[in-house]
Amino acid sequence: MRIEKYKIDDINQQLVDRHQRNFTHIAADITGLDTILEKLGAFNIAIPSWALGTGGTRFGRFSGGGEPRSLEEKISDVGVIHALNRSSNSISLHIPWDIPENPSQIKALAAQLGLHFDAVNSNTFQDQKDQKLSYKFGSLHHVDKATRKQAVDHNIEVIKYGVQLGSRALSVWLADGSNFPGQLNFRKAFQNTLESMEEIYSALPEDWKVWIEYKPYEPNFYSTTIGDWGQSYLIASKLGVKASTLVDLGHHLQGTNIEQIVSLLLMEGKLAGFHFNDSKYGDDDLTVGSINPYQLFLIFNELVEGMDDKGMDHATSIGWMIDASHNVKDPIEDLLQSVQAIKVAYAQALLVDKPALLAAQKNNDVALAQEILQQAYRTDVRPLIAEASYRSGGALDPIATYRKLNVREHLVKERGLKTIATGL
Ligand code: RM4
Ligand code: MN
Ligand code: MN
């Protein structure tokens, strides 16, 4: 399904007076308003192909209606999201959940909707049908060389798909680890992983990057071979300039200071980008900003400060992606909420009075430093996001517009009530 622009414009007309009042109110207090709106307009967040169907838990999956049944339909759903918010102009594929049978056709379809392909994700955490060797005891770290090679070859194949689609990065997340003390020799597991990654690294095209994700536990509960940012960073720095560390917000133990990790990775030029989501307990993959929006703001505060310090372009220097999966919400609404939450945090970070914060830090004025951050955090920046979206031809209120246009009802008519989505 495609949303024609005039339909969005019609609904915007109904909302625009109220929006103008709110926007004028906040705009009056903002210095550099146009630059902020331009930055917000340029900021896009990639949508993962696996988030467009209703997710499940290990106990079951309750499918929603009108879910995409093919890669083409997933791309079409990202097209819907992008038409509404003008901030989701790319899609990230997970191979083999989404094998592009005809890459040039897929690429053309995406281009028609103003979309391109973000990082491609490999998958060596599940055994696929007809797979020769099992990943039960790991993939790139496996004790058996032939199994490692199979996993390396898979990653190289994923790069090949990515090249055909115009992607520029391979994202690697490994489930490799152990469940019990004694199961694994940590050093050997690490060395094997490094060697395997070296082979993958040498297959990267000139202008490609490899992003290495870490995660402390699950599915393994005693050790994970790339379990934290230090281990990812170690591999990334041994590999070279094309390798860096990907931060998935849900992949930290409770209480971890993620913003500090982000700040240092950025300082070292080793921050690949993000998998945004939110969590209460672990890798919950909840809607971004639904549990701890202040943490998200603090992360963006470090990002903006760190990127500005290095003269990096906010929109394009690192990878921005959502990695979430839901079992109770309409996935499109959920993704619209996630993108909105990311943009809110970004806008708030842009509002932080940097010179004042620097001065407060210099004077050890702790109370003032907190005031400055919270002044920005407590500003209702939603009219800024709406204005940026409006100026780019998007909806003032993407979710309200999605509902008014009965998009899900149309999708159910088109695709049926019960569909089996691929992937998660
Ligand atoms: C993992 C990790 C990966 C994602 C899979 C589906 O926990 O976050 O990025 O590809 O889940
Ligand atoms: Mn992830
Ligand atoms: Mn995850």
Side-chain angles (χ1 to χ4, degrees), residues 136-247:
K136 180 172 178 180
F137 296 107
S139 57
L140 296 185
H141 88 172
H142 205 282
V143 287
D144 170 44
K145 179 134 177 76
T147 310
R148 297 204 292 277
K149 181 166 184 326
Q150 178 183 280
V152 167
D153 289 346
H154 164 71
N155 276 277
I156 295 173
E157 198 195 342
V158 172
I159 296 174
K160 285 188 184 139
Y161 280 123
V163 168
Q164 288 173 289
L165 294 170
S167 288
R168 293 281 197 71
L170 168 73
S171 187
V172 178
W173 171 68
L174 302 173
D176 296 8
S178 69
N179 268 302
F180 297 98
Q183 184 184 333
L184 207 65
N185 179 302
F186 296 138
R187 266 183 301 109
K188 282 188 185 149
F190 186 87
Q191 288 298 346
N192 284 341
T193 307
L194 179 61
E195 266 172 40
S196 306
M197 286 300 299
E198 276 163 357
E199 286 176 47
I200 297 166
Y201 190 88
S202 61
L204 287 174
E206 199 46 47
D207 55 346
W208 269 59
K209 304 251 184 296
V210 60
W211 298 345
I212 306 162
E213 201 171 339
Y214 57 89
K215 176 168 167 172
Y217 69 93
E218 196 210 12
N220 280 290
F221 292 98
Y222 173 61
S223 75
T224 300
T225 299
I226 307 183
D228 65 16
W229 74 280
Q231 290 150 7
S232 165
Y233 175 82
L234 194 57
I235 292 190
S237 39
K238 283 177 189 284
L239 288 177
V241 287
K242 290 180 185 172
S244 48
T245 295
L246 183 91
V247 177

Side-chain angles (χ1 to χ4, degrees), residues 173 213 215 218 248 250-251 275 277 283-285 323:
W173 171 68
E213 201 171 339
K215 176 168 167 172
E218 196 210 12
D248 181 316
H251 292 191
H275 276 180
N277 47 48
D283 189 24
D284 307 346
D285 281 344
D323 182 5

Side-chain angles (χ1 to χ4, degrees), residues 94-97 122-129 131 133-136 139 150 154 173 175-176 219 423-424:
H94 219 299
I95 312 279
W97 291 342
S122 59
N123 180 340
T124 60
F125 49 87
Q126 291 171 320
D127 284 348
Q128 305 301 329
K129 214 168 115 267
Q131 183 179 307
L133 302 162
S134 172
Y135 296 136
K136 180 172 178 180
S139 57
Q150 178 183 280
H154 164 71
W173 171 68
D176 296 8
L424 275 182

